[in-house]
Each structure stands twice: as C-alpha cells, then as structure tokens.
Amino acid sequence: MARSNNLLNPNAREAMDRFKMETANEVGVNLKQGYNGDLTARQAGSIGGQMVNIMCPVRPMGFRRTCRTVAGYGKPVTYDVWVGI
C-alpha cells in the first residue's frame, strides 16, 4: 500500500504545522514558515522523530515466569518488551 502525506482531516494541517513549530523549538532547530531547505537531514529528522515520540509513546515493560519445558524442571525466564500506547 502506498503511503501519502495527506491528512485525513484537511482542517488538521494548521494544527500539525503548529505542532511541528513547537517541536522544533523543543529540539533547538530554527524552523521558519514556508521553505526550510537549508536544514540538514539530522535537524529535520530530529523534528520528525520527536513528533513521533510525542504522538506514539512507547513504554518499557518486563515480566518473569517459569519456563517448564520438561516435567519437574523449571527455569525463571525474564521477558523485556516495549509496548506502544
């Protein structure tokens, strides 16, 4: 399936632009309205990465259980997972 940069709600464009400007200020990138072709790939990526971290937080979670592959034998196993909320 092809991906596109179109928003489902066209009225959300202004809110996303405002969110992008706030995020750029948080990471210390000087972003201006309109064309920003003078940004490096690292700067642009830091803005997008921070936006994703805010919109889709991921939290670490771990749990332990006893692995019983053979009757009468138990070995503790720890699972570490990252859960998207």
Side-chain angles (χ1 to χ4, degrees):
M1 180 172 143
R3 297 181 69 175
S4 68
N5 198 16
N6 297 331
L7 297 173
L8 295 176
N9 183 350
N11 299 328
R13 175 65 57 197
E14 183 181 330
M16 286 301 290
D17 288 340
R18 193 169 50 246
F19 179 48
K20 187 188 325 178
M21 295 299 260
E22 292 172 4
T23 305
N25 287 335
E26 286 178 12
V27 295
V29 175
N30 187 16
L31 192 65
K32 56 188 177 286
Q33 291 290 346
Y35 180 70
N36 286 289
D38 57 338
L39 292 180
T40 65
R42 180 179 292 253
Q43 290 172 323
S46 67
I47 295 169
Q50 184 67 16
M51 289 174 70
V52 169
N53 287 339
I54 292 170
M55 289 188 289
C56 307
V58 176
R59 302 288 181 239
M61 189 172 112
F63 59 93
R64 291 178 61 94
R65 73 175 191 88
T66 302
C67 178
R68 290 181 270 170
T69 55
V70 178
Y73 178 75
K75 179 179 176 184
V77 178
T78 303
Y79 298 93
D80 292 321
V81 295
W82 292 85
V83 180
I85 299 172

